[in-house]
Amino acid sequence: MQVDPRGPRFAAGVTTVILIAVLVTGSWALLAAQAVVFALATVFGLRYAPYGLAFRALIRPRLAPPRELEDAGPPRFAQGVGFVFALVGTVGYATGTTWLGIGATGLALAAAFLNAVFGFCLGCEMYLLMRRFTAI
């Protein structure tokens, strides 16, 4: 499946805002909600992810058609990586191991910020490296 690359970048922007709110508030429930968003995108695909639905309904109709599409595999893998970090962070906050919650959330925030601001998808690059090494 092919996706408009602006969709995952939009999702990364929303994720960045959510993760900043988690770090400010220390809310494990908000981080758990973000983990659910990551899980939905990973399991059902970007097309059915909440931020993907919002992008297609609210943002994409106002934009010119994309110049190119990209494979959905790398961003979907990146959502899975985000899910793992959000899950670890949620467990950290919920169990009182705040340093774990902050650390995992901070790492997820760094990756989301890189994608939202610079268009550099860290999880996508991990996916491509893994594909390269498993193809050998």
Side-chain angles (χ1 to χ4, degrees):
M1 182 173 96
Q2 301 286 304
V3 296
D4 181 341
R6 299 170 295 184
R9 200 161 174 186
F10 167 78
V14 175
T15 300
T16 297
V17 172
I18 297 295
L19 294 177
I20 289 171
V22 169
L23 288 174
V24 169
T25 65
S27 171
W28 68 266
L30 185 57
L31 187 55
Q34 179 60 51
V36 169
V37 170
F38 283 140
L40 290 171
T42 303
V43 173
F44 298 110
L46 302 177
R47 174 170 297 246
Y48 301 106
Y51 301 154
L53 293 169
F55 174 77
R56 277 197 321 285
L58 304 172
I59 307 296
R60 187 164 180 187
R62 292 169 175 73
L63 301 174
R67 285 185 242 156
E68 59 186 29
L69 298 175
E70 68 181 22
D71 179 34
R76 190 171 179 178
F77 176 82
Q79 293 291 301
V81 173
F83 170 71
V84 170
F85 279 94
L87 187 61
V88 169
T90 299
V91 169
Y93 279 118
T95 62
T97 314
T98 307
W99 64 266
L100 182 61
I102 291 171
T105 303
L107 290 171
L109 172 60
F113 180 81
L114 284 172
N115 194 357
V117 175
F118 300 109
F120 181 78
C121 177
L122 192 57
C124 300
E125 295 299 321
M126 288 172 52
Y127 175 87
L128 296 173
L129 279 172
M130 286 176 41
R131 291 288 303 232
R132 186 178 308 159
F133 287 117
T134 57
I136 295 175

